[in-house]
Amino acid sequence: MTGEKLFAAVAIAVVLQLLHSPEFVHCQVVGDEFSGQINDTAFLPFVTQSVYSSLSNITSTILNSDVGNRASFCVKDREDDWDQAFNFSSNLDFLSSCILKTNGDVSQRVCNAAELKFYFGGFFSGDSYLKPNINCNTTSRVSGCEPGWACATSPTENTDMRDSKNIPSRTENCQPCCEGFFCPNGLTCMIPCPLGAHCPTATLDKASGRCEPYSYQLPPGMPNHTCGGANIWADIRTSGELFCSSGSYCPTSTQQLNCSKGNYCQRGSTSEKSCFKLTSCDRGSSTQNIHAYGAMLIAAIFTILLIIYNCSDQIITTRERRHAKSREAAAKHAKEKVKAHERWKMAREAARKHAAQISRTFSRKKMAPQTEELSILRQRDDVDFDDPVTSSSEENRLELRSQTFKNKDEDLYSYDHIVESKDTNGKKKMQKEKQIHTHSQIFNYAYGQIEKEKAMQENQNLTFSGVISMAVNTETRKRPKIEISFRDLTLTLKGKDKHLLRCVTGKIMPGRITAVMGPSGAGKTTFLSALAGKAHGCRITGSILINGKPDSIHSYKKIIGFVPQDDIVHGNLTVEENLWFSAKCRLPARMLKQDRVLVVERVIESLGLQAVRGSIVGTVEKRGISGGQRKRVNVGLEMVMEPSLLILDEPTSGLDSSSSQLLLRALRRETLEGVNVSMVVHQPSYSLFQMFDDLVLLAKGGLTVYHGPVRKVEEYFSGLGINVPDRVNPPDYFIDVLEGMIKLNTSSGVSYEQLPVRWMLHKGYHVPPDMRRNAAMFPEGQSSGNEVNDNEGAIEEHSFAGEIWQDVKSNVEVRRDIIRHNFLRTKDLSNRTTPGLLMQYRYFLGRIAKQRLRESRLQLVDYLILLLAGACLGSIIKSNEETFGAPGYTYSIIAVSLLCKVAALRTFSLDKLQYWRERSSGISSLAHFLAKDTIDHFNTAIKPAVYLSMFYFFSYPRSSFAENYTVLLCLVYCVTGIAYMLAIFLDPGPSQLFAVLLPVVLTLVSTQTRDSEFLKNVSKLCYPKWALEAFVIANANRYSGVWLITRCGALYRFGYNVHDWGLCIFILIMIGVASRISAFFGMLIVHKR
């Protein structure tokens, strides 16, 4: 209360210094000169104007005063604020009335500087009553000392109104205070009431003994004393009776009129305000009923949202339907061409048979090419992928192909508008007679190529000519080769010194499918992860060579595909949309659109996803495609980027035999283009097992048992005395042997523990000393092995605290490796230029927009909750004029922050796995983050309007809708960035808990800072402090005139400054930006354990 009085005194001092200007001193001279003509009605306006002229330029004398500077925190525009409080030029009746009442001695009754200083000293000291002074003390107390009364100085006394040290003797002619002025208790002078105040002469209420409408009573022992005028001007709580009442307006401080119908008058109004259309304002209304505008606003918002969602969805659906029609027509057209070609081929074969019956020499000539074809096919089976293909062999294959297939056959499958020719250098080029730009032309081209490939492959397992055509097909496009060789590859878990892989030696070659098998815990996934550069938290020893060079595997990241064991795909996208996004972001940027369409359509066709290409993949909550189809989509995400190295972690798990074979056939087609395919397989069927080229068989502990061609694995184990029984699947039998579930024949002299050593000895590899005990030819093996076991046992024995320390060290190592991997920059050796940041940002925008449209119901629920919160808070918590709506704004900040944070958590918490997969494949994290933030700006702009459509039109704050919307917009932007941080750094459960607690805790800290300097400093770091300050300042600036002292007192109590509204907005935005930057770096650092 002391602070309120203090700054109320400051504001009053500013007001009253207007009376100490030289012009007002001159007023006394005017009054003396024309004292006999005061009652002349013709001369009175001149006198009134002369008196007022000394008051009209009051700001010129006080704007640069110390008091004005001290009050700058609550006065935004000094001239404007003082004019709104004391510009009486429109009606000077109250001043004329006072001149008549005092017979022209107004200047003798107005307080001078010393009296003002004395009066405000009571506020500074915190006393409720003024101390005794020269006019009002225990020995001398005239009637003017009572509230609402004033006295004049002696006519013979020359009073200096600017004297701030001496209080003049003011005891003459005491009478009630003039209407339009107020006279404080304990002083004998008058002060003019501000605009918006109503200061009539009081009347005695005999029942209560009070002078109405004021709160003071008649002094005891003075029977002739009557009620005077107003006695105090302060804040609304102290002098509420001075304010013009609600439902009325006061054009002057002596006149109060009821508000007419169709208008409304708020408390402290000086004029009527017209009600908006469609609102109801009865006579004497203090507010206008603008609920209709709130209903219209929310109806408009929801109409716009419905239009956006429905039209966008309709546009997407129509576009997809048109694409589907073009695609189906192209597929039908291509199949008709195939049938026509088959009919032509049958006719050609019939002609050949007829010619063979006429001449036997034709058949003998045909034997030579077949012999040559056999030699070429045999050469292909034993090809060395390190040797480049020479130009002479290419020419031989071209000649052989020209003998086997005629050009006319190829033209039946080729696109109608593309003609191939050779330039002078012998390179192929495409001459386009008509540009390929329509969907029909693109799909015709793609399906023509697909049907051509299918026709070349359809007889490969049935006829010899089909095999030859696959072997000598020179049109199969070769991709850059990646051969990975490794020697003594050992992975040790950091911090625990535990081996995950040991002494693995071999290589995986392009154009072949390598299966990695073994029992559980054998390190199959760890092995492939090490080759792909994804083994975090492990110490790697040995060597890994890429194409014979010690390059980093990350240098080839753009042409390496890694299929995780889990089906990490976007469940709210269709199969085709998932594949297309991966293709757009990872295929070469300069690849023609028709070629990209061909790649995607070929993958969809080869994986058997045509029937579900337009179906939503589905999530846990929403049913989508089957598990097998989802698994194939998971593989297709890597196939569409045309990798040179494709690593798959258990791609056949959960698939039936037919689906597995379909997947293997698709991968087999990839190997024809030189792709190096390696995959972890768990218990494949025999037919599936025979489709692999090479096998890596691992035992527990990450030790190699076999690494070589699949067709020789049974021969190798037979040499060890391990024969596969009849009607038993060989891979199942080998895994059972490695698990120790099958007891081997003792005559073989081999146990399953010795199989890794046997393989090392078979290949001539170095055997570690601790493993020699398993080799019969090392007689010293048993003793050395025991010693090693003893040492290992000693190392592995740790106390409880030691085990905790080992776990902590291991986790730290994993985190450090992840951070180093994410910020590692390696030389790009892939020779592929993928789309840049802007193009990927564009692709992400399209994908996320589709996802948001399919989540429209969830968005609608968010809006409905905001509507309900705004209606409840707006109805329950009306705008409090004493605090300028601070309580309502406080609850609004909590509600909006909580609801918007919880909703924004979904942006990054629901697809963390998908993001980690895309990031590891080289897709831009910055494009991903910026696109999501951009799409969320839609909610950032809509949600404040949704909330205010209820809250604003129920609580009626004086600040404008635009000002409230601006603050709330910045608040939502701020809390959305904080929600990004919570979603990225925390798991879903804790992030939701923090999203609920943070708004409440931070708001409490921001509003409880009166008695603690520490909390005051901490609150500057809390966004609710700045949001609440912006709300209160915007609302306080709308209160002027009689509200000036209330504004200064409230702002002082809160510690706010009217000039800081822009600063508050800026800080909210900067908190949002800083939290987004932190969230982005968190995306790069944080990774799943």
Side-chain angles (χ1 to χ4, degrees), residues 377 453-471 661-662 664-666 668-669 672 687 690-691:
L377 182 62
E453 295 169 359
K454 289 169 65 177
M456 295 174 61
Q457 299 177 24
E458 61 182 357
N459 295 325
Q460 62 176 331
N461 294 326
L462 301 176
T463 63
F464 179 78
S465 61
V467 177
I468 296 300
S469 66
M470 292 295 296
Q661 291 189 15
L662 178 65
L664 261 294
R665 282 195 293 270
R668 174 61 64 186
R669 190 211 162 278
L672 296 177
S687 59
Q690 292 298 318
M691 298 179 71

Side-chain angles (χ1 to χ4, degrees), residues 3-65:
E4 296 176 12
K5 291 183 177 180
L6 172 63
F7 275 88
V10 172
I12 295 175
V14 175
V15 174
L16 296 183
Q17 278 201 5
L18 67 94
L19 302 176
H20 305 155
S21 62
E23 292 83 355
F24 193 77
V25 175
H26 181 67
C27 179
Q28 183 177 358
V29 178
V30 173
D32 293 340
E33 183 178 356
F34 299 102
S35 59
Q37 304 180 28
I38 293 298
N39 295 324
D40 189 350
T41 57
F43 188 71
L44 181 60
F46 172 75
V47 176
T48 303
Q49 190 64 38
S50 299
V51 174
Y52 177 71
S53 64
S54 64
L55 307 178
S56 59
N57 296 323
I58 58 174
T59 55
S60 62
T61 60
I62 64 174
L63 285 178
N64 298 322
S65 65

Side-chain angles (χ1 to χ4, degrees), residues 332-376:
K332 182 179 180 181
H333 181 65
K335 291 178 180 178
E336 290 176 353
K337 282 189 174 184
V338 172
K339 293 180 180 179
H341 172 67
E342 291 298 328
R343 290 194 296 269
W344 178 85
K345 187 175 180 180
M346 292 174 61
R348 187 187 65 177
E349 293 297 330
R352 285 183 177 180
K353 290 180 180 179
H354 182 68
Q357 293 176 359
I358 297 176
S359 176
R360 294 175 178 267
T361 59
F362 180 77
S363 60
R364 286 196 295 268
K365 291 181 181 180
K366 291 288 290 182
M367 295 301 294
Q370 289 183 1
T371 305
E372 187 176 0
E373 289 169 352
L374 281 172
S375 63
I376 293 175

Side-chain angles (χ1 to χ4, degrees), residues 104-163:
D105 62 348
V106 175
S107 60
Q108 298 177 6
R109 297 177 179 273
V110 177
C111 299
N112 74 340
E115 289 171 308
L116 293 175
K117 183 177 180 180
F118 175 78
Y119 174 71
F120 293 127
F123 287 97
F124 282 97
S125 62
D127 296 333
S128 302
Y129 300 96
L130 291 178
K131 295 180 180 179
N133 56 75
I134 189 174
N135 295 316
C136 304
N137 51 61
T138 56
T139 61
S140 174
R141 185 174 183 87
V142 295
S143 299
C145 296
E146 302 302 326
W149 277 62
C151 301
T153 58
S154 174
T156 60
E157 184 179 356
N158 187 12
T159 304
D160 185 2
M161 303 299 294
R162 291 171 294 181
D163 185 4

Side-chain angles (χ1 to χ4, degrees), residues 425-440:
N425 297 326
K427 295 181 180 180
K428 287 187 177 181
K429 66 177 182 178
M430 286 191 176
Q431 299 174 348
K432 298 186 179 180
E433 298 178 359
K434 183 182 291 186
Q435 289 292 334
I436 302 178
H437 56 82
T438 66
H439 294 295
S440 299

Side-chain angles (χ1 to χ4, degrees), residues 22 53 73 165 245 266 280 307 351 449 539 545 573 584 602 647 690 944 1023 1049 1059:
S53 64
F73 76 96
K165 295 182 179 180
S245 60
Q266 296 173 313
S280 59
I307 292 174
Q449 294 293 325
R539 184 172 60 254
L545 302 180
L573 295 177
K584 287 178 180 178
R602 181 189 291 140
I647 299 175
Q690 292 298 318
Y1023 72 88
H1059 302 282

Side-chain angles (χ1 to χ4, degrees), residues 182-420:
F182 71 96
C183 300
N185 181 22
L187 282 179
T188 58
C189 54
M190 299 190 307
I191 304 171
C193 293
L195 292 174
H198 185 219
C199 302
T201 301
T203 58
L204 179 63
D205 183 359
K206 296 182 179 180
S208 62
R210 297 176 59 180
C211 294
E212 297 293 342
Y214 312 110
S215 57
Y216 63 87
Q217 295 179 334
L218 293 177
M222 300 178 65
N224 295 328
H225 192 85
T226 61
C227 291
N231 66 319
I232 189 172
W233 171 41
D235 62 302
I236 184 78
R237 286 182 290 184
T238 305
S239 59
E241 63 275 6
L242 194 72
F243 287 67
C244 192
S245 60
S246 300
S248 302
Y249 68 100
C250 301
T252 66
S253 56
T254 60
Q255 187 180 17
Q256 179 170 292
L257 304 175
N258 287 331
C259 214
S260 61
K261 187 174 182 180
N263 299 283
Y264 71 99
C265 303
Q266 296 173 313
R267 196 170 190 179
S269 299
T270 58
S271 61
E272 295 179 310
K273 292 184 179 179
S274 300
C275 294
F276 298 144
K277 294 181 179 180
L278 303 180
T279 59
S280 59
C281 292
D282 298 329
R283 181 178 178 83
S285 297
S286 60
T287 57
Q288 55 180 336
N289 187 354
I290 53 178
H291 295 172
Y293 280 90
M296 291 172 60
L297 177 60
I298 194 60
I301 292 174
F302 273 88
T303 301
I304 294 173
L305 293 177
L306 288 175
I307 292 174
I308 292 175
Y309 285 128
N310 290 334
C311 291
S312 301
D313 187 59
Q314 189 66 32
I315 291 172
I316 294 174
T317 303
T318 304
R319 183 184 178 190
E320 292 177 350
R321 189 187 306 116
R322 294 188 64 182
H323 286 187
K325 289 181 179 179
S326 301
R327 184 174 57 248
E328 292 171 0
K332 182 179 180 181
H333 181 65
K335 291 178 180 178
E336 290 176 353
K337 282 189 174 184
V338 172
K339 293 180 180 179
H341 172 67
E342 291 298 328
R343 290 194 296 269
W344 178 85
K345 187 175 180 180
M346 292 174 61
R348 187 187 65 177
E349 293 297 330
R352 285 183 177 180
K353 290 180 180 179
H354 182 68
Q357 293 176 359
I358 297 176
S359 176
R360 294 175 178 267
T361 59
F362 180 77
S363 60
R364 286 196 295 268
K365 291 181 181 180
K366 291 288 290 182
M367 295 301 294
Q370 289 183 1
T371 305
E372 187 176 0
E373 289 169 352
L374 281 172
S375 63
I376 293 175
L377 182 62
R378 190 175 298 109
Q379 182 181 2
R380 177 176 175 82
D381 186 64
D382 298 330
V383 67
D384 185 1
F385 294 99
D386 290 331
D387 295 337
V389 180
T390 61
S391 59
S392 60
S393 62
E394 287 290 340
E395 293 176 358
N396 292 335
R397 293 186 181 183
L398 285 172
E399 293 176 359
L400 180 60
R401 187 175 181 279
S402 65
Q403 295 177 3
T404 308
F405 299 101
K406 301 299 181 182
N407 291 334
K408 190 172 182 179
D409 297 350
E410 301 172 12
D411 293 339
L412 289 172
Y413 300 104
S414 63
Y415 181 55
D416 295 338
H417 305 294
I418 297 180
V419 179
E420 294 183 357

